[in-house]
Coordinates of all heavy atoms in Angstrom, one line a residue:
C112 N -68.5 -105.0 11.6 CA -68.2 -106.3 11.0 C -69.2 -107.4 11.3 O -69.3 -108.4 10.7 CB -66.8 -106.8 11.3 SG -66.6 -107.1 13.1
V113 N -70.0 -107.2 12.4 CA -70.9 -108.2 12.8 C -72.3 -108.0 12.1 O -73.2 -108.8 12.3 CB -71.1 -108.2 14.4 CG1 -69.8 -108.3 15.1 CG2 -71.9 -107.0 14.8
L114 N -72.4 -106.9 11.4 CA -73.7 -106.6 10.7 C -73.5 -106.9 9.2 O -72.7 -106.3 8.5 CB -74.1 -105.1 10.9 CG -74.2 -104.7 12.4 CD1 -74.4 -103.2 12.5 CD2 -75.2 -105.4 13.1
D115 N -74.3 -107.7 8.7 CA -74.3 -108.1 7.3 C -74.5 -107.0 6.4 O -75.3 -106.1 6.6 CB -75.3 -109.2 7.0 CG -75.0 -110.5 7.8 OD1 -73.8 -110.7 8.1 OD2 -76.0 -111.3 8.0
D116 N -73.7 -106.9 5.3 CA -73.9 -105.9 4.2 C -73.5 -104.5 4.6 O -73.7 -103.6 3.8 CB -75.3 -105.9 3.7 CG -75.8 -107.3 3.2 OD1 -74.9 -108.0 2.6 OD2 -76.9 -107.7 3.4
L117 N -72.9 -104.3 5.8 CA -72.5 -103.0 6.2 C -71.0 -102.9 5.9 O -70.2 -103.5 6.6 CB -72.8 -102.7 7.6 CG -72.5 -101.3 8.1 CD1 -73.3 -100.2 7.3 CD2 -72.7 -101.1 9.6
T118 N -70.6 -102.1 4.8 CA -69.2 -102.1 4.4 C -68.6 -100.7 4.5 O -67.6 -100.5 3.9 CB -69.1 -102.6 3.0 OG1 -69.9 -101.9 2.1 CG2 -69.5 -104.1 2.9
F119 N -69.3 -99.8 5.1 CA -68.8 -98.4 5.2 C -67.7 -98.3 6.3 O -68.0 -98.6 7.5 CB -70.0 -97.5 5.6 CG -69.6 -96.0 5.4 CD1 -69.8 -95.4 4.2 CD2 -69.1 -95.3 6.5 CE1 -69.5 -94.0 4.0 CE2 -68.7 -94.0 6.3 CZ -68.9 -93.3 5.1
D120 N -66.5 -98.0 5.9 CA -65.4 -98.0 6.8 C -65.3 -96.6 7.5 O -65.3 -95.6 6.8 CB -64.1 -98.3 6.1 CG -64.0 -99.7 5.5 OD1 -64.6 -100.6 6.2 OD2 -63.5 -99.9 4.4
V121 N -65.2 -96.7 8.8 CA -64.9 -95.4 9.6 C -63.8 -95.6 10.5 O -63.3 -96.8 10.8 CB -66.2 -95.1 10.4 CG1 -67.4 -94.8 9.5 CG2 -66.5 -96.1 11.4
Y122 N -63.2 -94.5 10.9 CA -62.1 -94.5 11.9 C -62.6 -93.8 13.2 O -63.5 -92.9 13.1 CB -60.9 -93.8 11.3 CG -60.4 -94.4 10.0 CD1 -61.1 -94.2 8.8 CD2 -59.3 -95.2 10.0 CE1 -60.6 -94.8 7.6 CE2 -58.8 -95.8 8.9 CZ -59.5 -95.6 7.7 OH -59.0 -96.2 6.5
V123 N -62.0 -94.2 14.3 CA -62.4 -93.6 15.6 C -61.2 -93.3 16.4 O -60.3 -94.1 16.6 CB -63.3 -94.6 16.4 CG1 -63.8 -93.9 17.7 CG2 -64.5 -95.1 15.6
D124 N -61.1 -92.0 16.8 CA -60.0 -91.5 17.6 C -60.6 -91.0 18.9 O -61.7 -90.6 19.0 CB -59.3 -90.4 16.9 CG -58.5 -90.8 15.7 OD1 -58.4 -92.1 15.5 OD2 -58.0 -90.0 15.0
A125 N -59.7 -91.0 20.0 CA -60.1 -90.4 21.2 C -59.7 -88.9 21.2 O -58.6 -88.6 21.1 CB -59.3 -91.1 22.4
E126 N -60.7 -88.1 21.4 CA -60.5 -86.6 21.4 C -60.1 -86.2 22.8 O -59.5 -85.1 23.0 CB -61.8 -85.9 21.0 CG -62.1 -86.0 19.5 CD -61.1 -85.3 18.7 OE1 -61.2 -84.0 18.6 OE2 -60.2 -85.9 18.1
E127 N -60.5 -87.0 23.8 CA -60.1 -86.7 25.2 C -59.7 -88.1 25.8 O -59.9 -89.1 25.2 CB -61.3 -86.2 26.0 CG -61.8 -84.9 25.5 CD -63.1 -84.5 26.2 OE1 -63.5 -85.2 27.1 OE2 -63.7 -83.4 25.9
D128 N -59.1 -88.1 27.0 CA -58.9 -89.3 27.7 C -60.3 -90.0 27.9 O -61.2 -89.3 28.5 CB -58.3 -89.1 29.1 CG -56.8 -88.6 29.0 OD1 -56.2 -88.8 27.9 OD2 -56.3 -88.0 29.9
T129 N -60.4 -91.2 27.5 CA -61.8 -91.8 27.4 C -61.8 -93.2 28.0 O -60.9 -94.0 27.8 CB -62.2 -91.9 25.9 OG1 -62.2 -90.6 25.3 CG2 -63.6 -92.5 25.8
E130 N -62.9 -93.4 28.8 CA -63.1 -94.7 29.4 C -64.4 -95.3 28.8 O -65.4 -94.6 28.7 CB -63.3 -94.6 30.9 CG -62.1 -93.9 31.7 CD -61.0 -94.9 31.9 OE1 -61.2 -96.1 31.8 OE2 -59.8 -94.4 32.0
V131 N -64.3 -96.6 28.4 CA -65.4 -97.3 27.8 C -65.6 -98.6 28.4 O -64.7 -99.2 29.0 CB -65.2 -97.4 26.3 CG1 -65.0 -96.1 25.6 CG2 -64.2 -98.4 26.0
L132 N -66.8 -99.2 28.2 CA -67.1 -100.6 28.4 C -67.1 -101.2 27.0 O -67.9 -100.8 26.2 CB -68.4 -100.8 29.1 CG -68.5 -100.5 30.6 CD1 -69.9 -100.6 31.1 CD2 -67.6 -101.5 31.4
L133 N -66.3 -102.1 26.7 CA -66.1 -102.7 25.4 C -66.7 -104.1 25.4 O -66.1 -105.0 26.1 CB -64.6 -102.7 25.0 CG -64.3 -103.5 23.7 CD1 -65.0 -102.9 22.5 CD2 -62.8 -103.5 23.5
T134 N -67.7 -104.4 24.6 CA -68.3 -105.7 24.4 C -67.6 -106.2 23.1 O -67.8 -105.7 22.1 CB -69.8 -105.7 24.3 OG1 -70.4 -105.1 25.5 CG2 -70.3 -107.1 24.1
E135 N -66.8 -107.3 23.3 CA -66.0 -107.8 22.2 C -66.9 -108.2 21.0 O -68.0 -108.7 21.1 CB -65.2 -109.0 22.6 CG -64.2 -108.6 23.8 CD -63.7 -109.8 24.5 OE1 -64.1 -110.9 24.2 OE2 -62.9 -109.6 25.4
A136 N -66.3 -108.0 19.8 CA -67.0 -108.2 18.5 C -67.6 -109.6 18.4 O -68.8 -109.8 18.0 CB -66.2 -107.9 17.3
P137 N -66.8 -110.7 18.6 CA -67.4 -112.0 18.5 C -68.6 -112.3 19.4 O -69.6 -112.9 19.0 CB -66.2 -113.0 18.9 CG -65.0 -112.1 18.6 CD -65.4 -110.7 18.9
A138 N -68.5 -111.7 20.6 CA -69.6 -111.9 21.6 C -70.8 -111.1 21.1 O -72.0 -111.6 21.2 CB -69.2 -111.4 23.0
F139 N -70.6 -109.9 20.6 CA -71.7 -109.1 20.1 C -72.4 -109.8 18.9 O -73.6 -109.7 18.7 CB -71.2 -107.7 19.8 CG -72.4 -106.7 19.6 CD1 -73.1 -106.3 20.7 CD2 -72.6 -106.2 18.4 CE1 -74.2 -105.4 20.5 CE2 -73.7 -105.3 18.2 CZ -74.4 -104.9 19.3
R140 N -71.5 -110.4 18.0 CA -72.0 -111.1 16.9 C -73.0 -112.2 17.3 O -74.0 -112.4 16.7 CB -70.9 -111.6 16.0 CG -71.4 -112.5 14.9 CD -70.2 -113.1 14.1 NE -69.5 -112.1 13.3 CZ -70.0 -111.8 12.1 NH1 -71.1 -112.3 11.6 NH2 -69.3 -110.9 11.4
R141 N -72.6 -112.9 18.3 CA -73.4 -114.1 18.7 C -74.8 -113.5 19.2 O -75.8 -114.2 18.9 CB -72.7 -114.8 19.9 CG -73.6 -115.9 20.5 CD -72.8 -116.7 21.5 NE -73.7 -117.4 22.4 CZ -73.2 -118.2 23.4 NH1 -71.9 -118.5 23.5 NH2 -74.1 -118.8 24.2
L142 N -74.8 -112.4 19.9 CA -76.1 -111.9 20.4 C -76.9 -111.4 19.2 O -78.1 -111.7 19.1 CB -75.8 -110.7 21.3 CG -75.2 -111.0 22.7 CD1 -75.0 -109.7 23.4 CD2 -76.2 -111.9 23.5
V143 N -76.3 -110.8 18.2 CA -77.0 -110.3 17.0 C -77.6 -111.4 16.2 O -78.8 -111.4 15.8 CB -76.1 -109.4 16.1 CG1 -76.7 -109.2 14.8 CG2 -75.7 -108.1 16.8
E144 N -76.9 -112.5 16.1 CA -77.3 -113.7 15.3 C -78.4 -114.4 16.0 O -79.3 -115.0 15.4 CB -76.1 -114.6 15.0 CG -75.1 -114.0 14.1 CD -73.9 -114.9 13.9 OE1 -73.7 -115.8 14.7 OE2 -73.2 -114.7 12.9
N145 N -78.4 -114.5 17.4 CA -79.3 -115.3 18.1 C -80.5 -114.6 18.8 O -81.4 -115.3 19.2 CB -78.6 -116.1 19.1 CG -77.5 -117.1 18.5 OD1 -77.8 -117.6 17.5 ND2 -76.4 -117.2 19.2
N146 N -80.5 -113.3 18.9 CA -81.5 -112.6 19.6 C -82.1 -111.5 18.7 O -81.3 -110.5 18.4 CB -81.0 -112.0 20.9 CG -82.1 -111.5 21.8 OD1 -82.9 -110.6 21.3 ND2 -82.2 -112.0 23.0
V147 N -83.3 -111.6 18.3 CA -83.9 -110.6 17.4 C -83.9 -109.2 18.0 O -83.8 -108.2 17.2 CB -85.3 -111.0 16.9 CG1 -86.3 -111.0 18.1 CG2 -85.8 -110.2 15.8
H148 N -84.1 -109.1 19.3 CA -84.1 -107.8 19.9 C -82.8 -107.1 19.8 O -82.7 -105.9 19.6 CB -84.5 -107.9 21.4 CG -85.9 -108.5 21.5 ND1 -87.1 -107.8 21.3 CD2 -86.3 -109.8 21.9 CE1 -88.1 -108.6 21.5 NE2 -87.7 -109.8 21.9
V149 N -81.7 -107.8 20.0 CA -80.4 -107.3 19.8 C -80.1 -106.9 18.4 O -79.6 -105.8 18.1 CB -79.3 -108.2 20.3 CG1 -77.9 -107.6 20.1 CG2 -79.5 -108.7 21.8
R150 N -80.6 -107.7 17.5 CA -80.4 -107.4 16.1 C -81.1 -106.1 15.7 O -80.6 -105.3 15.0 CB -80.9 -108.6 15.2 CG -80.6 -108.5 13.7 CD -80.6 -109.8 13.0 NE -81.8 -110.5 13.2 CZ -82.0 -111.6 13.9 NH1 -81.0 -112.1 14.6 NH2 -83.1 -112.3 14.0
C151 N -82.4 -106.0 16.1 CA -83.1 -104.8 15.8 C -82.5 -103.6 16.4 O -82.4 -102.5 15.8 CB -84.6 -104.9 16.4 SG -85.6 -106.1 15.4
Y152 N -82.0 -103.7 17.7 CA -81.3 -102.6 18.3 C -80.0 -102.2 17.5 O -79.8 -101.0 17.3 CB -80.9 -103.0 19.7 CG -79.9 -102.0 20.4 CD1 -80.4 -100.9 21.1 CD2 -78.6 -102.2 20.4 CE1 -79.6 -100.0 21.8 CE2 -77.7 -101.3 21.0 CZ -78.2 -100.2 21.7 OH -77.4 -99.3 22.3
A153 N -79.3 -103.1 17.1 CA -78.0 -102.9 16.4 C -78.3 -102.1 15.1 O -77.6 -101.1 14.7 CB -77.3 -104.2 16.1
Y154 N -79.3 -102.6 14.3 CA -79.6 -102.0 13.0 C -80.3 -100.6 13.2 O -80.1 -99.7 12.4 CB -80.5 -102.9 12.2 CG -79.7 -104.0 11.5 CD1 -79.7 -105.3 11.9 CD2 -78.9 -103.6 10.4 CE1 -78.9 -106.2 11.3 CE2 -78.1 -104.6 9.7 CZ -78.1 -105.9 10.2 OH -77.4 -106.8 9.5
Q155 N -81.1 -100.5 14.3 CA -81.7 -99.2 14.5 C -80.6 -98.1 14.9 O -80.7 -97.0 14.4 CB -82.7 -99.3 15.7 CG -83.4 -98.0 16.0 CD -84.4 -98.2 17.1 OE1 -84.3 -99.0 18.0 NE2 -85.4 -97.3 17.2
L156 N -79.7 -98.5 15.7 CA -78.6 -97.6 16.1 C -77.7 -97.3 14.9 O -77.3 -96.1 14.7 CB -77.8 -98.2 17.3 CG -76.7 -97.3 17.9 CD1 -77.3 -95.9 18.3 CD2 -76.0 -98.0 19.0
T157 N -77.5 -98.3 14.1 CA -76.7 -98.1 12.9 C -77.4 -97.1 12.0 O -76.7 -96.2 11.4 CB -76.4 -99.4 12.2 OG1 -75.7 -100.3 13.1 CG2 -75.5 -99.2 10.9
T158 N -78.7 -97.3 11.8 CA -79.4 -96.4 10.9 C -79.3 -95.0 11.4 O -79.2 -94.0 10.6 CB -80.9 -96.8 10.9 OG1 -81.0 -98.2 10.3 CG2 -81.7 -95.9 10.0
Q159 N -79.4 -94.8 12.7 CA -79.3 -93.5 13.3 C -77.9 -92.9 13.0 O -77.8 -91.7 12.7 CB -79.5 -93.5 14.8 CG -79.3 -92.2 15.6 CD -79.4 -92.4 17.1 OE1 -80.1 -93.3 17.6 NE2 -78.7 -91.6 17.8
R160 N -76.9 -93.6 13.2 CA -75.5 -93.1 12.9 C -75.3 -92.8 11.4 O -74.7 -91.8 11.1 CB -74.5 -94.2 13.4 CG -74.5 -94.4 14.9 CD -74.4 -93.1 15.7 NE -74.3 -93.3 17.1 CZ -74.5 -92.4 18.0 NH1 -74.8 -91.1 17.6 NH2 -74.5 -92.6 19.3
L161 N -75.9 -93.7 10.6 CA -75.8 -93.4 9.1 C -76.5 -92.1 8.8 O -76.1 -91.4 7.9 CB -76.3 -94.6 8.3 CG -75.5 -95.9 8.4 CD1 -76.2 -97.0 7.7 CD2 -74.1 -95.6 7.7
S162 N -77.6 -91.9 9.5 CA -78.4 -90.6 9.2 C -77.5 -89.4 9.6 O -77.5 -88.4 8.9 CB -79.7 -90.6 10.0 OG -80.4 -89.4 9.9
D163 N -76.8 -89.5 10.8 CA -75.9 -88.5 11.2 C -74.8 -88.3 10.2 O -74.4 -87.1 9.9 CB -75.2 -88.9 12.5 CG -76.2 -88.9 13.7 OD1 -77.3 -88.3 13.6 OD2 -75.9 -89.6 14.7
M164 N -74.3 -89.3 9.6 CA -73.3 -89.3 8.6 C -73.7 -88.6 7.3 O -73.1 -87.8 6.7 CB -72.7 -90.7 8.3 CG -71.9 -91.3 9.5 SD -71.8 -93.1 9.6 CE -71.0 -93.4 8.0
L165 N -75.0 -89.0 6.9 CA -75.5 -88.4 5.7 C -75.7 -86.9 5.9 O -75.5 -86.1 5.0 CB -76.8 -89.1 5.4 CG -77.6 -88.5 4.1 CD1 -76.7 -88.7 2.9 CD2 -78.9 -89.3 3.9
W166 N -76.2 -86.5 7.1 CA -76.4 -85.0 7.3 C -75.1 -84.3 7.3 O -75.0 -83.2 6.7 CB -77.1 -84.9 8.7 CG -77.0 -83.5 9.3 CD1 -76.6 -83.1 10.5 CD2 -77.5 -82.3 8.7 NE1 -76.8 -81.8 10.7 CE2 -77.3 -81.2 9.6 CE3 -78.1 -82.0 7.4 CZ2 -77.7 -79.9 9.3 CZ3 -78.4 -80.6 7.2 CH2 -78.2 -79.6 8.1
K167 N -74.0 -84.9 7.8 CA -72.7 -84.3 7.8 C -72.2 -84.1 6.3 O -71.7 -83.1 5.9 CB -71.7 -85.1 8.6 CG -70.3 -84.6 8.5 CD -70.2 -83.1 9.1 CE -70.4 -83.1 10.6 NZ -70.2 -81.8 11.2
M168 N -72.4 -85.2 5.5 CA -72.0 -85.1 4.1 C -72.8 -84.1 3.3 O -72.2 -83.4 2.5 CB -72.1 -86.5 3.5 CG -71.2 -87.6 4.2 SD -69.5 -87.2 4.3 CE -69.0 -87.2 2.5
Q169 N -74.0 -84.0 3.6 CA -74.9 -83.0 3.0 C -74.4 -81.6 3.3 O -74.3 -80.7 2.4 CB -76.3 -83.1 3.4 CG -77.0 -84.3 2.8 CD -78.5 -84.4 3.3 OE1 -78.7 -84.2 4.5 NE2 -79.4 -84.9 2.4
Q170 N -74.0 -81.3 4.5 CA -73.4 -80.1 4.9 C -72.2 -79.7 4.1 O -72.0 -78.7 3.6 CB -73.1 -80.0 6.4 CG -74.3 -80.0 7.3 CD -73.9 -79.8 8.8 OE1 -73.2 -79.0 9.1 NE2 -74.5 -80.7 9.6
V171 N -71.3 -80.7 4.1 CA -70.0 -80.5 3.4 C -70.2 -80.2 1.9 O -69.5 -79.4 1.4 CB -69.1 -81.8 3.6 CG1 -67.8 -81.7 2.7 CG2 -68.7 -81.9 5.1
L172 N -71.1 -80.9 1.3 CA -71.3 -80.8 -0.1 C -72.2 -79.6 -0.6 O -71.9 -79.1 -1.6 CB -71.9 -82.1 -0.7 CG -71.0 -83.4 -0.6 CD1 -71.8 -84.6 -1.0 CD2 -69.8 -83.2 -1.5
F173 N -73.2 -79.3 0.3 CA -74.2 -78.4 -0.3 C -74.4 -77.1 0.5 O -75.0 -76.2 -0.1 CB -75.6 -79.1 -0.3 CG -75.5 -80.4 -1.2 CD1 -75.8 -81.6 -0.6 CD2 -75.2 -80.3 -2.5 CE1 -75.8 -82.8 -1.4 CE2 -75.2 -81.5 -3.3 CZ -75.5 -82.7 -2.7
L174 N -73.9 -77.0 1.7 CA -74.2 -75.7 2.5 C -73.0 -74.8 2.4 O -71.8 -75.2 2.4 CB -74.5 -76.1 3.9 CG -75.7 -77.0 4.2 CD1 -76.0 -77.0 5.7 CD2 -76.9 -76.4 3.4
S175 N -73.2 -73.5 2.5 CA -72.2 -72.5 2.5 C -71.4 -72.6 3.8 O -71.9 -73.1 4.8 CB -72.8 -71.1 2.3 OG -73.7 -70.8 3.4
A176 N -70.2 -72.0 3.8 CA -69.4 -72.1 5.0 C -70.0 -71.3 6.2 O -69.9 -71.8 7.3 CB -68.0 -71.5 4.6
D177 N -70.6 -70.2 5.9 CA -71.1 -69.4 7.0 C -72.3 -70.1 7.7 O -72.5 -70.2 8.9 CB -71.5 -68.0 6.6 CG -72.5 -68.0 5.5 OD1 -72.8 -69.0 4.8 OD2 -73.1 -66.9 5.2
R178 N -73.2 -70.8 6.8 CA -74.3 -71.5 7.4 C -73.8 -72.7 8.2 O -74.3 -73.1 9.2 CB -75.2 -71.9 6.3 CG -76.5 -72.5 6.7 CD -77.5 -72.8 5.6 NE -78.7 -73.5 6.0 CZ -79.5 -74.1 5.2 NH1 -79.4 -74.1 3.9 NH2 -80.6 -74.7 5.7
R179 N -72.9 -73.5 7.6 CA -72.3 -74.6 8.3 C -71.7 -74.2 9.7 O -71.8 -74.9 10.7 CB -71.2 -75.3 7.5 CG -71.8 -76.0 6.3 CD -70.6 -76.6 5.4 NE -69.8 -77.5 6.2 CZ -68.6 -77.8 6.0 NH1 -67.9 -77.2 5.0 NH2 -67.9 -78.7 6.7
F180 N -71.0 -73.1 9.7 CA -70.4 -72.6 10.9 C -71.5 -72.3 12.0 O -71.3 -72.6 13.2 CB -69.5 -71.4 10.6 CG -68.6 -71.0 11.8 CD1 -67.9 -71.9 12.5 CD2 -68.6 -69.7 12.2 CE1 -67.1 -71.6 13.6 CE2 -67.8 -69.3 13.3 CZ -67.1 -70.2 14.0
A181 N -72.6 -71.6 11.5 CA -73.6 -71.3 12.4 C -74.3 -72.6 13.0 O -74.5 -72.7 14.2 CB -74.7 -70.5 11.7
I182 N -74.5 -73.6 12.1 CA -75.0 -74.8 12.6 C -74.1 -75.5 13.6 O -74.6 -76.0 14.7 CB -75.3 -75.8 11.4 CG1 -76.4 -75.2 10.5 CG2 -75.6 -77.2 11.8 CD1 -76.6 -76.0 9.2
F183 N -72.8 -75.5 13.3 CA -71.9 -76.1 14.2 C -71.9 -75.4 15.6 O -71.9 -76.1 16.6 CB -70.4 -76.0 13.6 CG -69.4 -76.5 14.6 CD1 -69.1 -77.9 14.6 CD2 -68.7 -75.7 15.4 CE1 -68.2 -78.4 15.5 CE2 -67.7 -76.1 16.3 CZ -67.5 -77.5 16.3
L184 N -71.9 -74.1 15.6 CA -71.9 -73.4 16.9 C -73.1 -73.7 17.7 O -73.0 -73.9 18.9 CB -71.7 -71.9 16.7 CG -70.4 -71.4 16.1 CD1 -70.5 -69.9 15.8 CD2 -69.2 -71.7 17.0
L185 N -74.3 -73.7 17.1 CA -75.5 -74.0 17.8 C -75.6 -75.4 18.3 O -76.0 -75.7 19.4 CB -76.7 -73.7 16.9 CG -76.9 -72.2 16.5 CD1 -77.9 -72.0 15.4 CD2 -77.3 -71.4 17.8
E186 N -75.1 -76.4 17.5 CA -75.1 -77.8 17.9 C -74.1 -78.0 19.0 O -74.4 -78.7 20.0 CB -74.8 -78.7 16.7 CG -75.9 -78.8 15.7 CD -75.6 -79.7 14.5 OE1 -74.4 -80.0 14.4 OE2 -76.5 -80.0 13.8
E187 N -73.0 -77.4 19.0 CA -72.0 -77.5 20.0 C -72.5 -76.9 21.3 O -72.3 -77.4 22.4 CB -70.7 -76.9 19.6 CG -69.5 -77.3 20.4 CD -69.0 -78.7 20.1 OE1 -69.5 -79.3 19.1 OE2 -68.3 -79.2 21.0
S188 N -73.1 -75.7 21.2 CA -73.7 -75.1 22.4 C -74.8 -75.9 23.0 O -74.8 -76.1 24.3 CB -74.3 -73.7 22.0 OG -75.0 -73.1 23.0
A189 N -75.6 -76.5 22.2 CA -76.7 -77.4 22.7 C -76.1 -78.6 23.4 O -76.6 -79.1 24.4 CB -77.6 -77.8 21.6
Q190 N -75.1 -79.2 22.8 CA -74.4 -80.4 23.4 C -73.9 -80.2 24.8 O -74.0 -81.0 25.6 CB -73.3 -80.9 22.4 CG -72.5 -82.0 23.0 CD -73.3 -83.3 23.1 OE1 -74.0 -83.7 22.2 NE2 -73.1 -84.0 24.2
H191 N -73.3 -79.0 25.0 CA -72.6 -78.7 26.3 C -73.5 -77.8 27.2 O -73.0 -77.6 28.3 CB -71.3 -78.1 26.0 CG -70.3 -79.1 25.3 ND1 -69.7 -80.1 25.9 CD2 -69.9 -79.1 24.0 CE1 -69.0 -80.8 25.1 NE2 -69.1 -80.2 23.9
G192 N -74.6 -77.4 26.7 CA -75.5 -76.5 27.5 C -74.8 -75.2 27.9 O -75.0 -74.7 29.0
S193 N -74.1 -74.6 27.0 CA -73.3 -73.4 27.3 C -73.2 -72.5 26.0 O -73.2 -73.0 24.9 CB -71.9 -73.7 27.8 OG -71.2 -72.5 28.0
D194 N -73.2 -71.2 26.2 CA -72.9 -70.3 25.1 C -71.4 -70.2 24.7 O -71.1 -69.6 23.7 CB -73.4 -68.9 25.4 CG -74.9 -68.8 25.4 OD1 -75.5 -69.6 24.7 OD2 -75.5 -67.9 26.0
E195 N -70.6 -70.8 25.5 CA -69.1 -70.8 25.3 C -68.7 -72.2 24.7 O -69.0 -73.2 25.2 CB -68.4 -70.5 26.5 CG -68.6 -69.1 27.1 CD -67.7 -68.8 28.3 OE1 -67.0 -69.7 28.7 OE2 -67.7 -67.6 28.7
I196 N -68.0 -72.1 23.6 CA -67.4 -73.2 22.9 C -65.9 -73.2 23.1 O -65.3 -72.3 22.5 CB -67.8 -73.3 21.4 CG1 -69.3 -73.5 21.2 CG2 -67.1 -74.3 20.6 CD1 -70.2 -72.3 21.1
H197 N -65.4 -74.2 23.8 CA -64.0 -74.2 24.1 C -63.2 -75.1 23.1 O -62.9 -76.3 23.5 CB -63.7 -74.6 25.6 CG -64.3 -73.6 26.5 ND1 -63.5 -72.5 26.9 CD2 -65.5 -73.5 27.2 CE1 -64.2 -71.8 27.8 NE2 -65.4 -72.4 28.0
L198 N -63.0 -74.6 21.9 CA -62.3 -75.4 20.9 C -61.4 -74.4 20.1 O -61.7 -73.3 20.0 CB -63.3 -76.0 19.9 CG -64.3 -77.1 20.5 CD1 -65.3 -77.4 19.4 CD2 -63.5 -78.3 20.9

Side-chain angles (χ1 to χ4, degrees):
C112 63
V113 309
L114 304 176
D115 294 336
D116 301 323
L117 184 60
T118 58
F119 191 89
D120 294 324
V121 298
Y122 300 79
V123 184
D124 291 352
E126 288 292 281
E127 302 173 358
D128 291 343
T129 301
E130 301 284 337
V131 306
L132 285 173
L133 170 61
T134 302
E135 299 163 356
F139 194 69
R140 173 183 286 277
R141 173 173 161 177
L142 291 176
V143 168
E144 291 176 345
N145 296 323
N146 190 304
V147 65
H148 299 285
V149 180
R150 186 156 61 250
C151 288
Y152 171 85
Y154 278 105
Q155 182 179 24
L156 186 56
T157 300
T158 299
Q159 176 186 330
R160 295 307 181 198
L161 289 174
S162 178
D163 294 339
M164 292 157 61
L165 180 59
W166 167 232
K167 177 62 68 174
M168 299 305 291
Q169 286 177 323
Q170 289 186 50
V171 171
L172 293 173
F173 302 120
L174 299 188
S175 62
D177 58 346
R178 188 176 175 190
R179 289 177 59 205
F180 189 50
I182 291 171
F183 175 83
L184 293 177
L185 292 171
E186 289 181 345
E187 196 70 17
S188 174
Q190 173 66 43
H191 296 286
S193 172
D194 285 336
E195 293 188 353
I196 291 92
H197 294 277
L198 296 170

